[in-house]
Each structure stands twice: as C-alpha cells, then as structure tokens.
Amino acid sequence: MALTLSDVDRFEAARPRLEAIAYRMLGSASEAEDAAQETYLRWQAADVERIEVPEAWLTKVLTNYCLNQLTSARARREEYVGQWLPEPLLDGDPMLGPAQTAEQRESVSYAVLVLLERLSPNERAVYVLREAFAYSHREIAAILDLSEAACQQIFHRAKKHVAQATSGAGAADGAASGRGAGGALVEIDEAAARRVVEEFLAAATSGETGPLIRLLTSDAIAVGDGGGKVPARASAFEGALAVAKFLRGLFKPAQAKRDLVGGSPDLYAATANGGPAVVAVIGGRVFGIMCLERTQEGIVAVRSQVNPDKLERATERWAAGDFGTPVLAEAL
C-alpha cells in the first residue's frame, strides 16, 4: 500500500531516534543511515494501517536489521586491514542521540563503543535500548522476541562487562580491546576538553617523552584505524613509555608525512562522542580524529581514526560548523 503524507511524516519524525540506535549498535554512521533507510523501505511495504504502535514496530524492524548486520560484521572484520575502530562523531551531531543522563552520555562515548564490540549482538542490543533509550525490559523483550526475564539477565551481564572495563577491572582484557585500566571514565565539558587537548598537544610536540608520560596512565594504550588506506599500526602500543615514544614520533614534523597526507594539517581541539579529541584538518577535510580517553589518573587511551571512509560525516559537519581556530596551525 502507498504511504500517505502522514505516514511519511511519522517515519521522518522517528528517523533521528532510529539512526541514533543504529549508530550505537553498529559503530558506523553510514551503516546507521543504511539501517534507517532499510527500515523505511519495510515501512513503505507494510500495511501501515494494521500497525498498532508504529514507533515500536519501527524500532523492532531496525533493531533486528542491526542484529543481522552485527552477525555478518564479525566475519567482515576478521578480514579488515588493521585495527577496527568505531566512527567518531563530532559533538552536536544528531546521531549521537539523547544526552540528558550520565548513562546516555556514557553509552555513546568512544570508549564504550569500543567495548560494545566485545558483547554479543543480543547483549549489545539490550544494553543500547535499555541504557541509552530507557526502553523497559518488557518492550525490549517484544522487540527481540525474548522473555522479559531473559532480557533482564542479558542486560545485567552486558552492563557488568561494560562496568568492569570502564572501571579498570581486568587490565588484560582492557588491553586486548584497545583500552587500558587507568580508572573510571570522567565526564568532561567543552572548555575542559579544550584544555586537555591543548595540554596534550603541548606535550606531544615538545620533542620529549617526559611531558607525555606525566599525562598518561602507566597502562595507557595507543591504537589507530587506517582501514588499509592510511598507514596505522595494527596492534596497540601499550604502557606510558611506549605510547609516549610513539606520540613523540607521530607529532615530529617531516616532509615525508606531509607528502603522505597531502599537506600540513591544522590541529583543532574538539569534542567527539562527548570526550576530548584532536581533529586534524587539511584544506577543509577532516584527515583524522584522535580521541583521548581520560580518567582521574590521566589519559588512558589514545585512539586515532584515519580511515577516510569513517570521516566523511565528520568532514561534512566540519564544513557546516564553526570550530574556532586551530591549537596548532600547519603542525606537521
């Protein structure tokens, strides 16, 4: 049956929420857009008049599509070149979804998106729907075709895994996922994020390891995602000294680096997924986003996204916004 204008409007009103759910589920903005569009196509093909609660129906269709994508994504990521990291989103992006509570903000933090990769598809779905969007266990059970008791158990298990990792429990497991164990995550506002980035860049460009080591936790890690298109280390650097040496070399100016990336980037302080981030921009194009995971003890993880396929949305948002002046101009 053809959709009425009211039916289309109802879906478009739901699209931002659907995309925000899908982004948390899949860790990719482009895949989240695809998931929402696939949901629209199924909405278009459905007998809408017989759907009693359209929002619930749309969420169910979207979530199950994402579950199928997660299952196939595990196989695809086994063939991925280098380390796979989620796609970072600059703050203010509507795909980040609700941010009224600490739980909602943490659920879309870059650190937690990395950790969600370790959960089973059902664990990830239950955690996202409950923690970020406040669905009841009864509603989640209907979406996933599970019992309410099973959903409660899955949520308890998923939340325990995330809490252990974000509180620093299990250092070995944290390192394996690209995260150290330097203590609980701390929330940070835009002004504080800028100070963190400025201090970090001052240390990284000092030419010495000492200033960096003082900013890092002893078990800090550094990892990057180039997707086989931009050089990035496949495994993480682990420990403050190793990370400091890597960063000192990374931020040392060299013509070879400028030739590789197509120019000398301007480095900006920004927030991505609610945390401090260094944004490297060349000619208006976002070349890389370095997310700094900070705890009370210091910077516990430095994750760099330089795969151009995962920076298209950030570049579009950068072009449309005002992100101030660079902390360092023509840094490399």
Side-chain angles (χ1 to χ4, degrees):
M1 297 179 64
L3 295 180
T4 65
L5 183 59
S6 176
D7 295 332
V8 174
D9 288 344
R10 183 185 288 272
F11 179 85
E12 291 305 324
R15 187 188 289 271
R17 176 179 58 84
L18 296 173
E19 288 187 346
I21 292 173
Y23 172 67
R24 283 169 166 83
M25 288 278 290
L26 302 173
S28 165
S30 60
E31 290 181 14
E33 291 174 339
D34 290 344
Q37 188 60 25
E38 180 63 28
T39 303
Y40 175 75
L41 294 176
R42 297 186 188 185
W43 171 252
Q44 193 176 43
D47 186 353
V48 174
E49 292 183 357
R50 297 175 63 88
I51 298 174
E52 295 182 3
V53 186
E55 287 74 14
W57 187 93
L58 291 170
T59 304
K60 182 182 179 73
V61 170
L62 175 100
T63 302
N64 282 282
Y65 176 84
C66 288
L67 288 173
N68 289 334
Q69 292 300 104
L70 283 173
T71 300
S72 61
R74 290 178 183 269
R76 292 198 308 272
R77 287 170 192 171
E78 289 179 0
E79 301 174 357
Y80 192 81
V81 179
Q83 177 75 41
W84 189 96
L85 290 176
E87 178 176 348
L89 296 181
L90 298 172
D91 275 14
D93 192 312
M95 197 175 283
L96 289 170
Q100 284 73 40
T101 68
E103 290 79 11
Q104 289 172 336
R105 291 189 292 275
E106 183 178 84
S107 72
V108 80
S109 71
Y110 206 61
V112 169
L113 288 181
V114 171
L115 293 168
L116 291 181
E117 286 294 307
R118 301 164 59 197
L119 302 183
S120 71
N122 272 352
E123 286 175 337
R124 188 162 183 165
V126 172
Y127 180 86
V128 166
L129 292 172
R130 179 65 176 168
E131 198 77 345
F133 295 90
Y135 281 84
S136 69
H137 287 297
R138 178 174 297 178
E139 290 171 320
I140 297 171
I143 289 170
L144 298 179
D145 293 324
L146 297 170
S147 70
E148 189 172 344
C151 285
Q152 290 174 331
Q153 292 175 350
I154 291 170
F155 176 69
H156 176 75
R157 189 165 61 243
K159 191 168 184 180
K160 182 179 179 181
H161 290 328
V162 173
Q164 285 177 338
T166 55
S167 66
D173 288 343
S177 67
R179 185 191 191 282
L185 295 172
V186 294
E187 291 197 47
I188 193 165
D189 61 25
E190 186 174 345
R194 183 174 182 86
R195 290 194 296 271
V196 170
V197 171
E198 289 175 343
E199 187 177 22
F200 172 80
L201 287 177
T205 57
S206 68
E208 301 176 358
T209 57
L212 280 164
I213 289 174
R214 287 191 287 274
L215 293 181
L216 300 166
T217 61
S218 61
D219 62 345
I221 62 96
V223 65
D225 177 352
K229 299 182 178 182
V230 176
R233 184 179 169 89
S235 57
F237 289 92
E238 299 182 24
L241 180 58
V243 172
K245 288 181 177 179
F246 161 69
L247 292 171
R248 182 187 62 187
L250 181 67
F251 284 93
K252 184 177 180 180
Q255 184 61 46
K257 294 177 185 176
R258 293 190 286 272
D259 292 341
L260 178 65
V261 303
S264 186
D266 294 331
L267 302 181
Y268 290 80
T271 49
N273 294 79
V278 179
V279 181
V281 180
I282 302 175
R285 173 177 60 90
V286 175
F287 172 79
I289 298 179
M290 179 178 284
C291 297
L292 307 177
E293 182 184 337
R294 188 170 177 270
T295 68
Q296 294 289 356
E297 289 75 21
I299 295 173
V300 69
V302 179
R303 298 189 182 89
S304 302
Q305 182 56 261
V306 290
N307 182 345
D309 294 342
K310 298 182 183 181
L311 295 170
E312 292 180 358
R313 188 178 178 94
T315 294
E316 291 174 2
R317 184 159 186 83
W318 192 268
D322 181 5
F323 293 86
T325 58
V327 177
L328 291 174
E330 298 185 351
L332 302 181

